[in-house]
Amino acid sequence: MKERHTLLEKEGTKSVLASLISIIIGLLVGSILILVVGAFSDNLGLGSAWEGIRLVFFGIFSTGRNAAGALTWGFNPQSIGNMLFRATPLILTGLSVAVAFKTGLFNIGAPGQYLMGTLATLAIALGIPSTALPGPLLWLLAFLGGILAGALWGCIPGLVKAFLNINEVLACIMTNWIAANLVTWFFDVNKMFQNTVENTKTSYIYKTAYGRTFVDGAWTYVDGNGVSTAKLGLDKLFPGSQVNAGILIAILFAILVYILMTKTTLGYELKACGANRHAARYAGVNDKRNIVLSMAIAGALSGAGAALYYLSGNTEFFWSTYQALPATGFNGIPVALLAANNPIAVIFTGIFMSMLNIVGLQLTKLTAYNEYITDVIISVIVYLSAFSLVIKMLLTSRRKHREAAAPAAVPPAEPAAPPVEPAESLTESAPPAEMPPVEAPPAEAPDAAAEKGGEQA
Amino acid sequence: MTFLIQQTLLYAVPLMIVALAGVFAERSGIINLALEGIMIFGAFVGVLFIRIMQGMDVFQAAFAAKNWMALQGMELLAMAVAALLGAVFSLLLSFASVNLRADQTIGGTALNLMAPALVLFLIRIIANQNTLQMTEGDAASWFMIKKTTLGFDRKADLGFLGNTLLHQVYLATYVCIILFIVLSILLYKTRFGLRLRSCGENPQAADSLGINVYRMRYAGTTISGALAGMGGFVYALTTANCASTGDVAGFGFLALAVMIFGNWKPGNIAGAAILFGLFKCVAASYASIDINGDGVYMLATLGISSHVYRMLPYIITLVVLAFTSKKSRVPKAEGIPYDKGQR
């Protein structure tokens, strides 16, 4: 019993280490790209590259430039507040992908579920006259509508996976694009939702702060009559930012998902289906019901993310979206992968991802570089997490070597240092050689990858 | 009718060639979800290459002298460069999924995220906006084959076939069709093709007969990357006026749908691509007035929204998946990393 516990502990620390290494490599690749572009471009130069690299790592603490044109650093309440605001939908789509992963499903359908959630939320919040219902009730109705729409949309790939054994990845891709077209169609036909008050903007839907009001014998939209998420004083804490209570709701959802997955029978059954669908069925678990349920929960979480983002009252939706899917949906994948599908860890990786987002904006604002560098960093992180197991194997073999080579050895990377300590003491007490020291890790990795493969795929 | 056929071909040909790209990867046992990403990358590389070539005096002179042979050569060269770098980009996927036995779906997703990010980052640095266009002129004036380019009189009537196939067309379209046929034969009628397909069905058996599964899978994904990269540039050239914007409007995923609808077989894929290309064409030219006497305008009077035509390919694919999942020709070993030690 004790031995299994220590193993589990080691697994956890290794996941954290693997994620940290992925992040560091991602940031380094971003820095190298900035350096190369800066060095070879005529109008950028190495000085601006150095500024860019510093911003990639510490952009969240950037406060702009001083009179002399040098970058200044410090606590930037606006950046931090916006980071928390943008983390809200990312945490929820991350949870969505993580829940599906636990059941052995790759939910690449989060963008579609997010879009359907957006559709339902906006249709309810803007469709019901603001005088018909008290504000909080309308808000709740729109929120629940978004969740329901996401859940229903998530059900489709779940149903075809469970009953017709169709690869959920393909079904999700198809439903994504169907959703994108449906949403565009809906807002194209229902012209009343299209923002005509602020006529500088085209193809945008009203913010939910606009309420449907009966004025002078006609229905129009009036700013301030609509609904928006309560701020709960967070706007005082982070002045000038968009932050609202949505982040707290997202954190609450993460805790609820954690309880669901670890403390309830349903969560156990879901995980059993993910570990081995056939064994679970043999043990009396209704695997088909669980697959559908898992996708429905995943969809509901994505829908909730969309609802919280658009109910804030200060965000607007670009409706002609049939050629592109929302990035927030896809970014749920790196959020979940970095968190090793742990719902609590998703909170932190979601905030990290939105921090990168803010860093990108600072980079665009302050330098000649642009925000897409952070998307490159994210994609590198996703790429690395595809074989995070190999990284874990590398860590293991490295630690073995260090034990053999005694005290002179250096830790693998500075920021990763703190978690190494507990792992160190554990390895000493654990029975040796359940992982043979490997000279060429990629060659040995397959066994572990094959074992773990079922869980990830 | 001419208009309808030409427009449908413009959409169908990139779909067809990219769907074949998917077939090469999947038949060798690697799921290539990164088709969209590789297309985006290929489109960028091709457009960038055209821009660089435009800066050279040789091609400036060729354009001024209306030397259309040189310009077509430049187009073909750009296709080749897009294919080459598409193949290089796809090595990221094959390295992860063959050597490191990583999850192919996640690897493909990573490439799909990486391509638009990298491309937009560079486009913004190069062009200071979100679109990379030709430095001067447009695709039609530089690369489109017209009656006059072929030496006919502007007013000459080439007959129905001549008007459809020789006037206002791109060489790239025909190159892709020829490549499609040649590569389909390669996949089905040669020893290499048989070996490649065997690695997607039963790699253990293939290995026992002395076939190098890793090498075959590398070959499959690399050909796939080359075709997708080229398809991306052809898409940008023929439908987006030779501009790269960091997206290909979901064409890579549509090509995936074509591949599934075509049941992983080249003949069916060609048919599926033409059907989906027709839908795209109808949706795109839906509201245009009836100048060409084509069926598109008649479809518009039916009152079916153009959104329906945009959505149909995905719905059809989902339905086809649902009804044919039992007799689907999906390669049996796709998505499973090959492990020599496994029985």
Side-chain angles (χ1 to χ4, degrees):
Chain A
M1 205 53 211
K2 195 181 164 212
E3 190 185 306
R4 279 185 70 186
H5 185 67
T6 50
L7 246 169
L8 208 79
E9 292 268 328
K10 238 174 74 178
E11 223 20 68
T13 40
K14 268 198 266 176
S15 296
V16 172
L17 268 182
S19 295
L20 281 175
I21 291 178
S22 301
I23 289 172
I24 290 164
I25 296 179
L27 292 173
L28 283 180
V29 169
S31 307
I32 291 169
L33 192 60
I34 286 181
L35 201 64
V36 169
V37 168
F40 285 94
S41 170
D42 302 328
N43 46 0
L44 288 171
L46 286 175
S48 81
W50 174 233
E51 284 183 345
I53 291 169
R54 275 187 296 162
L55 277 174
V56 161
F57 279 88
F58 309 109
I60 194 69
F61 297 114
S62 163
T63 51
R65 288 180 184 278
N66 60 17
L71 292 173
T72 53
W73 308 93
F75 176 71
N76 185 343
Q78 194 187 358
S79 286
I80 307 251
N82 282 338
M83 172 182 85
L84 292 176
F85 175 68
R86 284 167 184 241
T88 310
L90 280 174
I91 289 173
L92 285 160
T93 49
L95 285 174
S96 165
V97 177
V99 165
F101 258 133
K102 288 271 186 189
T103 320
L105 303 166
F106 185 45
N107 181 20
I108 201 174
Q113 295 146 13
Y114 188 85
L115 277 173
M116 293 312 271
T118 308
L119 170 67
T121 302
L122 290 176
I124 293 170
L126 296 171
I128 296 176
S130 55
T131 42
L133 284 174
L137 198 62
L138 183 57
W139 187 96
L140 191 65
L141 210 60
F143 182 56
L144 293 177
I147 291 181
L148 188 69
L152 287 176
W153 204 249
C155 272
I156 299 173
L159 282 171
V160 296
K161 167 82 179 181
F163 291 98
L164 300 165
N165 204 18
I166 292 169
N167 187 338
E168 80 280 4
V169 173
L170 298 178
C172 279
I173 289 172
M174 300 307 144
T175 51
N176 274 348
W177 289 97
I178 295 172
N181 281 295
L182 267 182
V183 169
T184 307
W185 190 7
F186 179 85
F187 287 118
D188 190 20
V189 172
N190 294 290
K191 301 226 182 294
M192 65 181 230
F193 295 116
Q194 295 176 15
N195 191 339
T196 50
V197 176
E198 297 165 285
N199 52 12
T200 48
K201 289 170 176 157
T202 49
S203 292
Y204 279 99
I205 300 300
Y206 284 108
K207 299 165 189 165
T208 55
Y210 284 80
R212 194 160 183 235
T213 323
F214 199 70
V215 185
D216 298 335
W219 287 104
T220 48
Y221 283 89
V222 176
D223 193 6
N225 273 8
V227 289
S228 41
T229 314
K231 301 273 189 194
L232 292 186
L234 283 169
D235 53 336
K236 305 276 187 304
L237 209 57
F238 305 107
S241 74
Q242 293 180 293
V243 69
N244 61 36
I247 182 71
L248 302 178
I249 300 175
I251 291 171
L252 181 73
F253 268 69
I255 295 168
L256 287 178
V257 168
Y258 176 76
I259 293 171
L260 172 78
M261 294 311 280
T262 52
K263 309 283 181 213
T264 66
T265 317
L266 175 64
Y268 183 79
E269 288 191 2
L270 290 179
K271 282 192 287 184
C273 280
N276 188 336
R277 186 178 164 184
H278 305 290
R281 183 166 55 204
Y282 186 69
V285 174
N286 186 343
D287 59 331
K288 290 184 171 153
R289 187 197 68 141
N290 278 309
I291 284 174
V292 178
L293 213 54
S294 166
M295 283 306 289
I297 295 170
L301 289 165
S302 288
L308 285 180
Y309 186 73
Y310 287 108
L311 278 173
S312 72
N314 49 26
T315 44
E316 43 198 348
F317 178 61
F318 180 81
W319 64 267
S320 187
T321 179
Y322 67 90
Q323 292 197 325
L325 294 169
T328 315
F330 281 119
N331 283 345
I333 296 168
V335 168
L337 286 174
L338 268 186
N341 304 322
N342 180 325
I344 301 298
V346 162
I347 301 172
F348 299 101
T349 54
I351 291 175
F352 170 74
M353 283 289 161
S354 73
M355 187 203 83
L356 280 185
N357 215 315
I358 301 293
V359 162
L361 293 181
Q362 296 281 16
L363 212 55
T364 314
K365 204 169 75 183
L366 298 172
T367 69
Y369 299 99
N370 56 67
E371 70 263 29
Y372 296 107
I373 190 72
T374 56
D375 292 338
V376 176
I377 294 170
I378 291 173
S379 67
V380 171
I381 292 172
V382 178
Y383 183 71
L384 291 174
S385 39
F387 46 88
S388 58
L389 273 156
V390 178
I391 298 179
K392 282 189 206 171
M393 284 297 293
L394 275 167
L395 286 177
T396 314
S397 67
R398 176 111 198 210
R399 202 167 297 135
K400 295 277 174 203
H401 285 304
R402 269 174 59 201
E403 258 172 52
V410 278
E414 318 100 84
V420 175
E421 295 314 312
E424 272 285 292
S425 53
L426 284 168
T427 3
E428 277 164 36
S429 62
E434 87 265 318
M435 298 267 196
V438 190
E439 284 306 326
E444 273 295 314
D447 306 337
E451 281 165 32
K452 268 279 182 160
E455 195 190 298
Q456 289 243 312
Chain B
M1 201 63 191
T2 298
F3 172 78
L4 195 67
I5 292 175
Q6 285 189 340
Q7 287 294 312
T8 304
L9 266 186
L10 282 192
Y11 289 111
V13 161
L15 276 180
M16 194 155 93
I17 204 83
V18 179
L20 189 70
V23 170
F24 264 91
E26 303 225 344
R27 284 285 180 158
S28 76
I30 306 278
I31 296 178
N32 191 353
L33 274 193
L35 290 176
E36 173 99 356
I38 302 173
M39 274 184 86
I40 292 169
F41 191 71
F44 168 73
V45 168
V47 173
L48 189 65
F49 180 78
I50 295 272
R51 275 173 67 102
I52 295 170
M53 289 295 114
Q54 277 188 318
M56 289 188 177
D57 295 338
V58 187
F59 289 103
Q60 283 293 343
F63 181 62
K66 297 250 170 282
N67 181 357
W68 66 274
M69 283 287 273
L71 295 181
Q72 295 302 324
M74 172 172 155
E75 179 184 330
L76 290 182
L77 221 56
M79 283 169 74
V81 171
L84 183 71
L85 284 178
V88 170
F89 190 58
S90 76
L91 285 179
L92 281 175
L93 177 69
S94 16
F95 175 69
S97 42
V98 176
N99 294 73
L100 299 178
R101 296 175 179 83
D103 188 304
Q104 296 164 8
T105 322
I106 299 176
T109 307
L111 259 58
N112 278 342
L113 294 173
M114 193 179 294
L118 195 63
V119 163
L120 277 171
F121 176 73
L122 294 175
I123 288 178
R124 274 275 277 277
I125 302 256
I126 295 169
N128 225 349
Q129 57 178 11
N130 278 6
T131 314
L132 190 71
Q133 288 161 321
M134 291 167 64
T135 41
E136 58 181 285
D138 55 10
S141 64
W142 278 69
F143 302 116
M144 191 186 264
I145 297 175
K146 282 156 279 201
K147 277 178 198 169
T148 43
T149 24
L150 296 177
F152 293 103
D153 186 64
R154 191 179 292 276
K155 297 240 172 60
D157 187 9
L158 306 179
F160 173 68
L161 274 180
N163 277 331
T164 310
L165 301 177
L166 296 177
H167 183 49
Q168 294 182 347
V169 290
Y170 287 97
L171 183 64
T173 308
Y174 298 117
V175 172
C176 282
I177 293 174
I178 292 166
L179 262 179
F180 184 87
I181 295 167
V182 169
L183 287 171
S184 303
I185 293 171
L186 176 76
L187 192 59
Y188 277 89
K189 302 288 177 206
T190 64
R191 192 163 12 172
F192 169 76
L194 181 68
R195 289 181 172 177
L196 185 107
R197 283 183 291 135
S198 74
C199 293
E201 298 293 335
N202 192 338
Q204 277 81 13
D207 198 5
S208 75
L209 294 172
I211 297 169
N212 188 334
V213 177
Y214 298 150
R215 198 180 292 164
M216 279 297 157
R217 288 192 165 181
Y218 257 105
T221 0
T222 307
I223 294 173
S224 178
L227 288 178
M230 195 182 74
F233 172 64
V234 172
Y235 168 83
L237 174 73
T238 58
T239 70
N241 196 15
C242 201
S244 165
T245 55
D247 81 66
V248 289
F251 249 62
F253 291 116
L254 195 59
L256 214 58
V258 166
M259 181 189 72
I260 298 162
F261 186 55
N263 213 0
W264 288 267
K265 290 177 190 154
N268 298 0
I269 283 173
I274 289 170
L275 180 67
F276 288 3
L278 180 67
F279 287 147
K280 271 271 172 197
C281 160
V282 170
S285 47
Y286 186 77
S288 60
I289 41 171
D290 197 12
I291 27 172
N292 305 297
D294 284 325
V296 177
Y297 187 70
M298 194 198 74
L299 285 170
T301 56
L302 284 178
I304 300 170
S305 168
S306 63
H307 298 290
V308 175
Y309 294 105
R310 288 206 184 92
M311 221 183 321
L312 263 178
Y314 306 107
I315 296 177
I316 292 177
T317 308
L318 199 58
V319 171
V320 163
L321 266 176
F323 282 104
T324 61
S325 61
K326 292 273 157 19
K327 359 171 237 195
S328 169
R329 280 294 303 119
V330 47
K332 286 194 184 57
E334 74 163 15
I336 307 165
Y338 177 61
D339 176 8
K340 256 186 199 274
Q342 209 175 39
R343 294 287 143 225

